[in-house]
Amino acid sequence: MTARELIENLKRMGAVFTLEAGERIKFQIPESAAPLMDLLARHKADVICLLKAHGGRIATFPHCPHCASYALYRKDNIVSFEC
């Protein structure tokens, strides 16, 4: 699996990736994605390149920062997204 495929799979699961200073990756993933963490670590350099190409952030929809669940059921998605 390439870094791009991995990121797309994780993104579909609700993961959010942010590139912080010093090329440090901050991420939020649901528990179900935990088995993919070793693979993510192996592709770290490629993931950093992808994050740079996407402006430092890769995400799909508003989500809870604790469990990464989508908040699409909330009216107009204008309230807090935390559990």
Side-chain angles (χ1 to χ4, degrees), residues 15-18 25-29 37 40:
V16 176
F17 300 89
T18 308
I25 302 171
K26 178 180 176 184
F27 54 87
Q28 297 170 332
I29 63 167
M37 293 310 303
L40 185 64

Side-chain angles (χ1 to χ4, degrees), residues 12-41:
R12 276 192 292 275
M13 297 172 82
V16 176
F17 300 89
T18 308
L19 186 61
E20 295 186 335
E23 297 191 345
R24 182 172 180 248
I25 302 171
K26 178 180 176 184
F27 54 87
Q28 297 170 332
I29 63 167
E31 286 183 30
S32 60
L36 298 174
M37 293 310 303
D38 288 336
L39 191 54
L40 185 64

Side-chain angles (χ1 to χ4, degrees), residues 25-60:
I25 302 171
K26 178 180 176 184
F27 54 87
Q28 297 170 332
I29 63 167
E31 286 183 30
S32 60
L36 298 174
M37 293 310 303
D38 288 336
L39 191 54
L40 185 64
R42 281 186 261 154
H43 287 292
K44 182 178 178 179
D46 293 330
V47 171
I48 289 171
C49 289
L50 288 169
L51 281 164
K52 286 180 179 179
H54 285 91
R57 187 165 193 274
I58 297 174
T60 304

Side-chain angles (χ1 to χ4, degrees), residues 2-13 17 54 58 60:
T2 67
R4 185 176 302 278
E5 292 169 337
L6 177 61
I7 292 296
E8 286 302 315
N9 286 341
L10 289 167
K11 194 168 80 166
R12 276 192 292 275
M13 297 172 82
F17 300 89
H54 285 91
I58 297 174
T60 304

